[in-house]
Each structure stands twice: as C-alpha cells, then as structure tokens.
Amino acid sequence: MHSNTTRGFLWSDVETRTLLNIWGEQDIQTALDGSFRNSFVYRDVACRLAAMGFDRTPEQCRVRIKSLKRQFLLAKEGNLRNSGQYHKICKFYDIMEGILSNRPTSNPPDMLEFGPGEEEAGDGLDEEGEDAQESENTEDSHCPPETQVKLEYGSTPSPVPVKVIVNRSSATVNPQSSSHRGNTLPARTPKRPRRRRTNFPLEKLLEQFLEQSAQAEENFYRVEEQRLKAEDCRREAEHGREMHMFQMLGQMFTSISSTRPCSSSTPATCTDNQPSHIRGTSTQGESFRPHNPNQDLQHLGVFERFYSLSSKSHHRMDDDILALVKRTIPPLTSKKHKGQDGRIGIIGGCQEYTGAPYFAAISALKAGADLAHVFCTKEAAPVIKSYSPELIVHPVLDRSNALEEIEKWLPRLHSVVVGPGLGRDDHILQTAKEIIIKSKTRDIPIVIDADGLWLITQQPSIIQGYQKSILTPNIMEFTRLYDVLVHGSMNTSDLKFSVTQLSIAMGNLTVVLKGEHDLITDGSKVISCSTEGSGRRCGGQGDLLSGSMGVMAHWAHSASVAEIFRGMNPSVVAAYGACSLTRQCNNQAFQRNGRSTTTSDMIQEIGSAFKKLFES
C-alpha cells in the first residue's frame, strides 16, 4: 500500500467516515478537550486510521477534521437562519452532529467559539510535532498495524514532545531504534508557514467566472464585428449613392453640351452653317464644337438650380408633415374636462426595469396627455410611484387575474403603449398579448416598443394587419423582425427598401426604424425624420419616444378627416411628430448638458421643444 503524504489529496467518503468514527471515540474527544497541545492525539488517530487500511499523516487528519467542522458550523448557522435549507452543504452533517452533541462541555472554545475563517485554538499540531513532521517528511508518522498500541488518555494529558530522526536511506521504520533517535535532537530548522486550506468549491466558482467572462468577451466581439460590417455596408451605400449622383451629373452635362444655344430664327442649321474653320474637324472627320465661355456659367446655373430644388423639396416635405402634425394637436381651452385630451396606458414595468415605464408615462403627460396609467408588477409599483405623484400606478401585471384587472380600465383609455420595462416573463408576456387583442377589439391606437417587440417577434400574428398600431424597433429589434417575417437577407445598404418590406409583411403597419435618421413608413412611402439631434444616446430615449407617440397617435386618429391628412396615414403623421419632438429634446438637452445629458434632462425640454416645433 502506497503511503500518501500529499496534504491536498482528496478524501473518499468511506475514508472520511472512518476518520470521523475514530475521531468521535470518547477517549479521543476527551484528550482533544483537555489539552491545547494535541499533536500526539492526531498521531494516534493516524495510527488507528492506518490500521483500518488508510494511510494518512497526522497533519492530513487534523486538516480534514478542521474542514469538516467548518462546513458543519456553516451548515448549522444556515439551518438556524433559513429553517434547514442549508443542510445539504455538509455531507456528513448528521455524523458531525452526533459527535459534537455528545462532546464534553468542559472546554467548549475548541469547537463552537471560532468563526468560519478563524484558527481553532486546540486543533493544530504543536511546534515540536510540526518540526518533526517537516524533518521526517511524513514518512514515519504511521504506526504499522502490528505495533499499534491502544492509548488511554487521562483527563488532562501532558505529552512530552520527542524529536525523531529518520534514516532516509531505509524504506521502513525500525521501532526498536526509536528510543535512540528520540535522544538525538537535530538542529532546529526554521518552520515553513502553514498553508490554510478550505474545502469550499472556490475552484468551481473560479472556473464558472472565467467561462462567463470568456462568453461575455466573445459576445462583445461578435456584436462589434456586426457593427463594423454594418458600418462598411453603410459606407458602400454612401459610395454607391455618390457614384449614382455623379452619373446623373454626367448625363446632365452631356445633355447641356449637346443643346448649344443658337439663333432663334435658324435653330436647326446654326451649327451646319458655320464655316469649317469655326466648327473645326477632328482627325476622324467628325465635327466638334469650339469651347463656349458662357457654357461654364450655364453649368454653374444648373448646379445651383439642382441643389436648391432638392434641398427646398426636402424642407418643403418636412414643413408639410409638421403642418399636418400641428393640425392634429387639440387646442387648449377652458371648456374641456380632465381626460379629454388623452388618457394613455403604459403596459410595462417589472422588478428589474422601473425607469422605462416612468419615462414613457411622464413623456406622455408632458407632451399634452391629461392622465397616464402604468400597469406594472407588484414589486415595481412603489418605485414607479415614488418617481412622480402625477402617475396612476396599478400593481396588477403579475397577478393571476391581471387581464381582468386591466380590462376594466381599457374603456377609459385612448391609446396603449406596450413594452417599456415589460421583461420577458412568460406569464407577463401572455398578459400583454391578451391586452393587445382586447385593445384591437376596442379600435384604439397601440404603440409597441422594447420587450413588446420581442413578443411580436415570437407571435407576429397578434398585431399583423392592425392599421392603428405603430412599431418602434431599433436596428437589432428590426433585424430580428425582418428575419422572422421577410425570410431573406436584409439589404443594409438600402434600409428604406428593407423597412418598406417589413411594413408590407406586417400588413402595412406603421414602422419606425430608429437610427441616425428615423425612417417611417406604412409600406407605401418612406419618410425620413432628420430633425437635428445630437451624438448622445442615453438609455430611456426610446421610452420618451414611445410615450409621446402614444398621445400623438390618439390625437391623429381622433382628428382623422380626409381633408386634413390629404391621403396620408394618421399613424405616420403621429410617428413623425413624436420623432421630431424626441430629436428636438435631445438637441436642446445636449446644448445645455453636453456629454452628461440623460433622459431626465431631455424630459425637462419637452415643453420648450413642443412649443418650438408645433406652436411657433
């Protein structure tokens, strides 16, 4: 049988139970309880363990006992606090409980007065025993079974430490020469610092941490690679547009040079009637026209007209849509009653996400709604309510009868916003699905954002074809929806075409693709909202957009008259108004706060931005 002298060698369950049976004997416990220098006790424990067929050093026995006691104390403390839930962390809890409950109470500090991270007072090898352990290299610490002697301990043993010199050239220990070796004391060698080992699964925790770190790093690089690819595609698209414009300009120059101005009386024969020395002749016999100094001025005039017309048409389109938005905004008058200008419902808000529903609801109020209801979970309600007293908070979203509780309020609501802070709990998503269906039957506008779009990705038929709904995805959410509904590779170089495809696949719903320029379409035409914002992208900006879009959608569909919109979809008009308002708030907040701009700063700018865009 090989002698194992490695301190960190793992113990089997059978070996551990044998050790505990030996350690729990009455004479061993009495000896441990009666003296603080107890290395001779663990030598006896090691000898008895060797007699059972397990070779261990006294130090290994002591460390194993100490680790088991620490696990027992942690488990016992957990049981006291948590009613027995931590019983499983100590495999040998019952054996330890039986031993320690019968232990004499004359010297309790040995067991129960030290914490999990403290050294035990009477549980270690004494200095002489430890020096002997180092000098012998743990080779003579076992007693052969045939020479084992049953030791009888008194109440307070006083062992005399003996130095033992080991003949390293011999493979076995001669018990007859032990007295001679005991009388020869070698020079005292400096003690090596003892290592403290614990039996907690730190290696497993470290391994899990490293795996999670590697996974997070891999996800980061994957997202970064996708971003770089998207950036390359964007550059290629810009290059393609520039080349297309150059081709159009080349064609324009060709047409201008081919129609050289002549006399009005003889336009057809002006060139032919010129002398040959004026017309000129090429080497191939083809005629060419001499350079006209006025031609450059003509080209310059064409350039000016071209760019002025394009910029004027773009600004004219923005002005026309803003004019439509202004016509949907209800006037302020003292003859109205509370709630007439909009009662908006926000479906969202869980324990992890409490800011998103607040941003959406307070944005709806600041944009002009009279009342804002937030339907959230029980844990999120006190937090959301503490943000603002103006909000009406209903902690019903995670109840078993959530649909019945929310359905009672639907007749009072003018529009609903589904998704801010909703989370992805299956029960809550099922409730959100039923709310969307009930809102469709009541024919009220629905704005779907954030985790509400995750629900639509899983079940697009919920909202497909409902013309009073607006989807507000960012590029990642848009990509998921496109993959599910269009079943093809998205053309990132032409996002206008891609967003049109998605809108048509959803039954000509209004889709707002948020980005550098917000793209708005209902499948027939694409409108780009290019109101100047800023380079600051802070969390919650999309919630401000969805909340203001909820109230503007109510206004647009309430004022839905053919002569007002001139054939334009009211949802598109409302989406354009909300996008313009959000971008203007971002711009004004950035002018005040710069890089430190947050969504709370943007909300403070809603009043002035609204006035500048729609009331000036």
Side-chain angles (χ1 to χ4, degrees):
M1 179 182 300
H2 290 286
S3 175
N4 180 16
T5 60
T6 304
R7 292 189 178 187
F9 189 76
L10 297 178
W11 290 67
S12 65
D13 292 347
V14 176
E15 190 175 6
T16 302
R17 290 191 179 92
T18 305
L19 174 66
L20 288 175
N21 291 334
I22 297 173
W23 180 72
E25 294 178 5
Q26 185 64 33
D27 56 342
I28 297 293
Q29 290 296 310
T30 303
L32 288 173
D33 187 66
S35 175
F36 285 94
R37 305 178 67 84
N38 47 31
S39 60
F40 65 96
V41 181
Y42 282 98
R43 291 194 188 98
D44 187 25
V45 171
C47 290
R48 298 185 190 185
L49 192 64
M52 302 298 293
F54 304 104
D55 288 344
R56 291 287 179 176
T57 66
E59 172 70 6
Q60 289 176 330
C61 296
R62 184 193 70 81
V63 170
R64 182 57 173 165
I65 291 295
K66 182 177 179 179
S67 175
L68 292 172
K69 286 196 290 186
R70 182 179 289 108
Q71 294 178 19
F72 171 77
L73 285 179
L74 289 174
K76 191 166 187 178
E77 183 180 359
N79 290 335
L80 292 176
R81 293 181 180 177
N82 301 278
S83 303
Q85 296 181 3
Y86 289 80
H87 182 81
K88 293 184 178 179
I89 70 173
C90 182
K91 183 184 295 186
F92 305 99
Y93 184 91
D94 296 331
I95 300 177
M96 296 291 294
E97 177 72 12
I99 294 173
L100 296 177
S101 61
N102 297 326
R103 186 169 185 173
T105 59
S106 60
N107 193 12
D110 180 58
M111 178 60 206
L112 298 177
E113 291 188 3
F114 67 92
E118 298 175 354
E119 289 287 346
E120 298 169 50
D123 219 19
L125 294 174
D126 54 47
E127 294 182 359
E128 290 78 9
E130 211 171 54
D131 291 339
Q133 183 77 11
E134 298 296 334
S135 62
E136 295 169 3
N137 197 18
T138 69
E139 293 181 0
D140 62 319
S141 59
H142 306 290
C143 298
E146 63 272 11
T147 61
Q148 180 182 3
V149 179
K150 176 71 174 182
L151 299 180
E152 296 295 332
Y153 304 105
S155 60
T156 307
S158 301
V160 178
V162 178
K163 291 290 183 179
V164 180
I165 300 177
V166 180
N167 186 4
R168 298 183 182 276
S169 61
S170 60
T172 60
V173 179
N174 187 2
Q176 297 178 358
S177 62
S178 60
S179 60
H180 176 71
R181 290 199 305 265
N183 295 329
T184 305
L185 298 178
R188 189 178 185 87
T189 57
K191 293 191 301 180
R192 290 184 299 181
R194 290 191 302 175
R195 294 182 181 177
R196 295 182 59 191
R197 296 181 180 271
T198 59
N199 201 29
F200 297 117
L202 295 179
E203 294 83 0
K204 183 177 294 184
L205 292 176
L206 182 60
E207 182 180 357
Q208 293 177 357
F209 171 77
L210 294 176
E211 290 178 355
Q212 293 174 358
S213 300
Q215 184 66 28
E217 185 176 1
E218 182 179 355
N219 293 337
F220 170 79
Y221 286 126
R222 186 182 300 112
V223 172
E224 187 69 13
E225 183 179 0
Q226 293 176 356
R227 186 188 68 80
L228 293 176
K229 289 182 179 179
E231 187 70 16
D232 292 339
C233 293
R234 185 185 65 81
R235 291 196 186 96
E236 292 178 0
E238 290 179 355
H239 180 69
R241 287 194 293 269
E242 291 174 356
M243 294 301 297
H244 181 65
M245 185 173 63
F246 287 143
Q247 292 175 0
M248 292 178 60
L249 292 176
Q251 294 174 2
M252 189 184 307
F253 291 151
T254 303
S255 62
I256 291 173
S257 61
S258 62
T259 58
R260 183 172 176 269
C262 303
S263 174
S264 58
S265 59
T266 57
T269 61
C270 177
T271 302
D272 296 333
N273 293 332
Q274 290 179 352
S276 60
H277 68 277
I278 297 178
R279 293 200 311 268
T281 306
S282 64
T283 55
Q284 288 82 9
E286 296 179 356
S287 63
F288 66 92
R289 298 177 180 86
H291 177 71
N292 187 353
N294 297 324
Q295 194 170 16
D296 294 334
L297 297 177
Q298 295 174 1
H299 292 177
L300 180 60
V302 172
F303 273 124
E304 292 176 350
R305 288 194 300 273
F306 177 78
Y307 285 111
S308 62
L309 287 175
S310 61
S311 60
K312 286 181 181 179
S313 62
H314 180 73
H315 290 298
R316 185 167 57 250
M317 179 181 294
D318 290 346
D319 294 339
D320 292 342
I321 300 177
L322 284 177
L324 293 178
V325 176
K326 292 179 182 179
R327 299 181 69 177
T328 64
I329 299 173
L332 298 176
T333 174
S334 59
K335 298 180 180 180
K336 293 183 179 180
H337 59 79
K338 179 179 67 177
Q340 188 172 348
D341 281 343
R343 297 184 293 270
I344 312 303
I346 309 297
I347 312 298
C350 59
Q351 184 176 6
E352 294 83 4
Y353 307 110
T354 58
Y358 161 72
F359 286 142
I362 200 67
S363 300
L365 287 179
K366 295 230 177 235
D370 292 339
L371 297 171
H373 297 258
V374 178
F375 299 91
C376 60
T377 62
K378 181 179 179 181
E379 294 83 0
V383 182
I384 298 174
K385 189 66 177 178
S386 68
Y387 291 152
S388 174
E390 289 88 359
L391 305 182
I392 305 172
V393 182
H394 307 270
V396 299
L397 195 56
D398 54 348
R399 293 184 184 176
S400 57
N401 61 338
L403 180 61
E404 299 175 3
E405 294 290 336
I406 300 175
E407 191 176 4
K408 294 186 299 186
W409 291 91
L410 284 180
R412 309 183 189 183
L413 302 179
H414 292 130
S415 66
V416 294
V417 180
V418 181
L422 186 66
R424 296 183 181 180
D425 181 78
D426 292 338
H427 172 69
I428 295 178
L429 289 178
Q430 180 64 26
T431 302
K433 172 186 174 181
E434 298 297 332
I435 293 171
I436 293 174
I437 295 174
K438 296 293 183 181
S439 301
K440 287 167 56 179
T441 59
R442 303 197 63 84
D443 197 36
I444 61 177
I446 305 173
V447 178
I448 301 180
D449 185 35
D451 288 324
L453 294 171
W454 172 265
L455 173 63
I456 299 303
T457 303
Q458 308 302 316
Q459 304 179 54
S461 60
I462 300 173
I463 201 69
Q464 202 164 16
Y466 185 60
Q467 298 301 313
K468 288 188 177 182
S469 61
I470 305 175
L471 309 184
T472 61
N474 56 29
I475 186 62
M476 296 302 296
E477 295 162 341
F478 179 82
T479 303
R480 286 196 293 263
L481 285 169
Y482 192 92
D483 291 341
V484 171
L485 292 164
V486 182
H487 304 293
S489 58
M490 185 176 67
N491 185 5
T492 56
S493 62
D494 191 358
L495 290 177
K496 290 185 178 181
F497 178 71
S498 299
V499 75
T500 303
Q501 281 186 306
L502 179 62
S503 176
I504 295 173
M506 289 294 295
N508 291 96
L509 300 188
T510 300
V511 179
V512 180
L513 175 57
K514 298 178 288 189
E516 182 181 1
H517 300 288
D518 297 334
L519 301 180
I520 307 166
T521 183
D522 60 352
S524 58
K525 64 175 67 175
V526 180
I527 300 174
S528 175
C529 180
S530 56
T531 302
E532 185 179 0
S534 74
R536 181 75 169 105
R537 293 294 182 267
C538 48
Q541 186 170 335
D543 303 312
L544 191 156
L545 173 66
S546 61
S548 58
M549 192 175 296
V551 63
M552 287 190 174
H554 161 58
W555 292 343
H557 286 282
S558 297
S560 180
V561 182
E563 55 269 17
I564 293 181
F565 292 101
R566 303 171 188 172
M568 185 169 290
N569 190 337
S571 294
V572 173
V573 176
Y576 187 89
C579 291
S580 300
L581 179 63
T582 304
R583 286 176 166 272
Q584 184 66 31
C585 291
N586 182 265
N587 180 268
Q588 294 182 190
F590 186 78
Q591 296 300 324
R592 292 178 181 270
N593 303 281
R595 186 176 292 274
S596 65
T597 302
T598 62
T599 302
S600 298
D601 300 322
M602 294 173 57
I603 290 174
Q604 299 301 321
E605 302 292 333
I606 291 179
S608 60
F610 192 96
K611 184 176 181 179
K612 181 176 181 179
L613 287 173
F614 309 125
E615 295 178 350
S616 59

